[in-house]
């Protein structure tokens, strides 16, 4: 006869409580901390947790978050992105790309995709990059009588590339949580990121080739008249940010610098670019400093809260429950992978990557250890592959109606004539492309794993 | 009620000021990193010291800015349900959240991280590596201090919500305006900046 012990199921209640309370709209960071604390006390009542165990929080915060040179890259990447946003680089870049691509079918949409890919290096906060791209590109596209769903779909998809294409803050955090090298993960994300961008470009090219009315070209008188002026435009607006991105990425790819050092170089480079663009003033500097600090405070607030939550969760035996449940399902590695991906995809409807990564990854990391794909993926490389799949998956989930995060942000700043239905309609083909990309990386792990193998081993 | 408003405004000012000053340690962090990268090529300075200095700045940056970010309402919320609730319900949620979650959570972390810092001071803890920085307790004390600031910002919100829920109408208005003025949603901040720059290139 088996007895039901309430305390055995505490971790489940804990997770349910978290899920419910997050929807109260109280800041995620503090809900995490509060739920952790509360269930610590509940655990004390059932005598499965001891007050003194909370002491471990201090060394955990210390060793895991404070004394951690990997995470030190994050504030600098945030700074780099915020500074580049303010430096006018993005709008110059878009202008230049428009001019260069004016004779290509769907040139403007393609310019947006390329800008998204290049600027992807700069931020990782979904809201900020989608808002920036929308404000910058959507009015221009509407002016040119672009098909609205095409325009919004392109912008939303390219604007979220930032969380995937390195240097991405999300990948830094994933690497840290999984205990793997940030550099390796960055390198692994390069091809999948570019493949997605490539799929977008191809789609736009084909679509606009067949139906040019969707994407009217720019008039020929836009941009400089002579080739010399064009060259100057390219040199001035296009090359500096590209150079900066390559400097940051290159120094990581070729092992010249650690990601943290590269982040420092990138941040300093962004200041330099703003200065060269004559956008740097004390006011701008102060704004960027404060906004980056707020973003950092927000992110690390969740980090701290998640530390508290997952510590208590584990102390109450959460790991055993997760593993026990998974083993009871008897799914095998592929089944498990699909379940995990489905779960993360579903969570992406409601949450930003920050919460998903910080809450789900620590809880599920013991499962990743259980996965075994035989010869399909080498055991050592499996974690990198999994992380990349997760990253692509997360990016997709922000684009899926009805709750796609990116779509809401976009609706918030789009001109009033853009209806949410048009945004929904526009994103569908891009979601298909995303799923195609995800399927490719799943079927051919080498897309992610080949480059790190060649470059780093 | 008016005392509550006064106290909360006073605290608010201090927390925001500290946050704004601490924000600049991000620039110091960048400077130290660059210095480390550049000098390592030519000289053999103690890179360990510099790298430890880097995360020292990082700690200062985030730990002093969490409370600041709360007052500026920069923390992520799941808005899906919240948007449909009445303003009054939202205030109640905020009040209860602070009292039941934020402040006890801070108290817990402060209690133990203070202990952690005191132990570090008592043992005169230094870096584990021979060439690292000494006086580890100084930076460790940043955690209890930062969480104290966060708890205080929770208190500010509690006072404001109390006034909004139970205070006289004109005071409510005032508090509400102060709050609205302070909000700095990151996406909306981006919006504002682009507003400033319209008529730039193109």
């Amino acid at each position: 006869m088996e007895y039901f012990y309430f305390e055995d199921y505490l971790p489940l209640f804990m997770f349910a409580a978290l899920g419910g309370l997050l929807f109260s709209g109280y800041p995620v960071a503090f809900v995490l901390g509060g739920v952790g604390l509360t269930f610590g006390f509940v655990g004390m009542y059932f005598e499965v947790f001891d007050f003194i165990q909370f002491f471990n929080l201090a060394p955990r915060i210390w060793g895991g978050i404070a004394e951690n040179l990997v995470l030190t890259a994050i504030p600098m990447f945030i700074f780099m992105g915020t500074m580049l946003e303010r430096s006018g680089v993005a709008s110059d870049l878009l202008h230049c790309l428009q001019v260069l691509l004016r004779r290509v079918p769907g040139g403007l949409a393609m310019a947006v995709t390329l800008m998204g890919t290049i600027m992807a290096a700069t931020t990782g906060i979904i809201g900020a990059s989608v808002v920036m791209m929308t404000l910058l590109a959507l009015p221009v596209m509407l002016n040119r009588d672009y098909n609205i769903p095409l325009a919004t779909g392109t912008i939303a998809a390219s604007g979220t590339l930032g969380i995937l294409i390195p240097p991405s803050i999300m990948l830094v955090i994933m690497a840290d949580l999984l205990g793997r090298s940030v550099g390796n993960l960055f390198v692994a994300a390069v091809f999948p990121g570019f493949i997605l961008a490539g799929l977008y470009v191809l789609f736009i090219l084909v679509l606009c080739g067949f139906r040019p009315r969707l994407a009217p070209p720019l008039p020929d008188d836009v941009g400089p008249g002579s080739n010399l002026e064009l060259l100057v435009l390219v040199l001035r607006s296009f090359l500096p940010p590209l150079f900066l991105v390559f400097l940051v990425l290159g120094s990581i790819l070729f092992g010249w610098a650690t990601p943290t050092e590269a982040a420092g170089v990138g941040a300093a480079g962004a200041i330099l670019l703003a200065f060269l663009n004559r956008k740097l003033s004390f006011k701008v500097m102060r704004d960027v400093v404060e906004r980056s600090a707020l973003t950092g405070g927000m992110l690390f607030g969740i980090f701290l809260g998640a530390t508290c939550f997952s510590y208590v969760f584990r102390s109450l035996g959460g790991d055993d429950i997760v593993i026990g449940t998974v083993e009871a399902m008897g799914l095998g590695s592929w089944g498990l992978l699909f379940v995990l991906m489905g779960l993360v995809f579903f969570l992406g409807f409601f949450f930003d990557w920050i919460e998903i990564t910080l809450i789900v990854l620590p809880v599920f990391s013991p499962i990743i250890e259980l996965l075994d794909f035989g010869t399909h993926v080498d055991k050592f490389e499996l974690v990198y592959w999994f992380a990349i799949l997760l990253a692509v998956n997360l990016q997709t989930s922000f684009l899926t109606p009805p709750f796609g995060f990116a779509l809401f942000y976009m609706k918030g700043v789009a001109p009033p004539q853009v209806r949410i239905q048009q945004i929904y309609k526009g994103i569908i083909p891009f979601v298909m492309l995303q799923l195609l990309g995800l399927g490719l990386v799943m079927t051919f792990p080498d897309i992610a794993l080949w480059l790190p193998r060649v470059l780093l081993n | 009620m008016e005392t509550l408003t006064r106290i909360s405004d006073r605290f608010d000012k201090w927390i925001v000021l500290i946050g704004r000053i601490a924000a600049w340690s991000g620039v110091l962090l960048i400077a130290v990193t660059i210095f480390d990268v550049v000098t390592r090529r030519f000289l053999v300075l103690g890179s360990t010291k510099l790298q430890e200095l880097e995360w020292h700045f990082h700690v200062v940056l985030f730990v002093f800015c969490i409370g600041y970010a709360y007052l500026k309402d920069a923390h992520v919320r799941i808005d899906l349900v919240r948007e449909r609730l009445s303003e009054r319900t939202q205030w109640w949620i905020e009040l209860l959240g602070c009292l039941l979650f934020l402040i006890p959570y801070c108290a817990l972390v402060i209690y133990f991280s203070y202990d952690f810092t005191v132990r570090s001071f008592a043992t005169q803890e230094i870096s584990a590596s021979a060439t690292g920085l000494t006086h580890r307790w100084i930076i460790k004390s940043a955690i209890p201090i930062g969480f104290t600031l966060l708890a205080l910002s929770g208190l500010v919100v509690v006072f404001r919500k109390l006034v909004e829920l139970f205070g006289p109408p004109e005071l409510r208005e005032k508090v509400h305006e102060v709050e609205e003025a302070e909000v700095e949603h990151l996406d909306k901040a981006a919006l504002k900046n682009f507003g400033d720059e319209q008529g730039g290139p193109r």
Side-chain angles (χ1 to χ4, degrees), chain A residues 23 25-28 37 54 67 75 86 91-92 132 140 261 289-291 293 298 300 304-305 350-351 355 409, chain B residues 20 23 40 55 58 61 66 74 76-78 80 97-98 102 104-105 108 112 136 187 193-194 197 201-202:
Chain A
F23 286 100
Y26 195 64
V28 174
L37 171 90
F54 276 129
E67 201 182 34
R86 297 298 307 272
S91 51
D92 287 354
M132 180 184 82
V140 188
E261 289 161 0
V289 164
E290 284 172 9
R291 261 184 58 210
M298 176 273 283
F300 281 97
L304 292 166
F350 311 101
F351 307 122
E355 296 95 276
Y409 276 116
Chain B
R20 287 207 164 125
R40 196 173 339 145
W55 61 253
H58 167 58
L61 178 63
I66 298 180
V76 181
R77 300 167 183 275
I78 309 301
L80 229 55
C98 285
L102 178 59
Y105 163 58
L108 186 81
F112 285 113
R136 199 50 34 110
D187 46 326
N193 292 330
F194 275 101
E197 279 155 21
R202 259 179 317 117

Side-chain angles (χ1 to χ4, degrees), chain A residues 21-35 37-38 41 51-59 61-62 65-69 71-72 74-76 79 85-88 90-92 94-95 98 125 127-128 131-132 135-136 140 256-257 260-268 271 279 282-287 289-302 304-306 308 349-352 354-355 403 405 408-409 412-413, chain B residues 19-27 29-31 33-34 36-37 40-41 47 50-52 54-59 61-63 65-70 72-82 84-85 90 93-109 111-116 119 125 127-128 136 139-143 147 150 153-154 157 184-198 200-202:
Chain A
L21 287 165
L22 280 180
F23 286 100
S24 69
Y26 195 64
V28 174
F30 312 144
V31 173
L32 278 165
V35 171
L37 171 90
T38 312
F41 284 117
F51 185 66
I52 199 67
Q53 279 180 275
F54 276 129
F55 176 79
N56 286 336
L57 275 181
I61 289 174
W62 185 251
I65 304 173
E67 201 182 34
N68 185 333
L69 207 53
L71 297 182
T72 307
I74 292 174
M76 294 193 280
F79 185 96
E85 249 172 58
R86 297 298 307 272
S87 66
S91 51
D92 287 354
L94 182 66
H95 179 63
Q98 275 170 33
I125 309 296
V131 165
M132 180 184 82
L135 289 169
L136 215 55
V140 188
W256 298 331
T260 306
E261 289 161 0
V265 172
I271 299 176
K279 285 273 164 60
F282 179 71
K283 187 177 161 291
V284 168
M285 187 70 181
R286 198 187 56 200
D287 262 19
V289 164
E290 284 172 9
R291 261 184 58 210
S292 322
L294 288 176
T295 311
M298 176 273 283
L299 212 148
F300 281 97
I302 299 182
L304 292 166
C308 178
F349 285 152
F350 311 101
F351 307 122
D352 205 339
I354 304 174
E355 296 95 276
F403 295 122
F405 242 65
F408 282 149
Y409 276 116
V413 292
Chain B
R20 287 207 164 125
I21 294 171
W24 285 91
S25 75
V27 178
L29 166 60
I30 295 166
T33 311
I34 295 293
D36 182 25
V37 171
R40 196 173 339 145
R41 297 244 129 190
S47 214
L50 288 175
Q51 282 177 2
E52 291 196 352
E54 283 166 27
W55 61 253
H56 275 62
F57 283 130
H58 167 58
V59 170
L61 178 63
F62 79 78
V63 99
C65 290
I66 298 180
Y68 167 48
Y70 186 37
K72 293 283 177 191
D73 201 14
H75 281 287
V76 181
R77 300 167 183 275
I78 309 301
D79 271 334
L80 229 55
V81 177
R82 188 174 125 101
R84 289 176 203 146
L85 301 174
Q90 290 186 16
I93 289 175
E94 205 70 19
L95 180 66
L96 292 177
C98 285
L99 290 176
L100 297 177
F101 281 178
L102 178 59
I103 295 175
Y105 163 58
C106 287
L108 186 81
V109 177
Y111 178 76
F112 285 113
S113 62
Y114 172 75
D115 197 21
F116 193 60
R119 287 185 195 198
E125 188 193 358
S127 168
R136 199 50 34 110
I139 190 67
K140 281 192 172 173
S141 67
I143 294 178
F147 268 87
L150 178 58
S153 66
V157 174
E184 212 161 302
H185 290 298
L186 295 169
D187 46 326
K188 284 178 193 141
L191 182 69
K192 198 182 74 195
N193 292 330
F194 275 101
D196 295 349
E197 279 155 21
Q198 292 283 306
R202 259 179 317 117

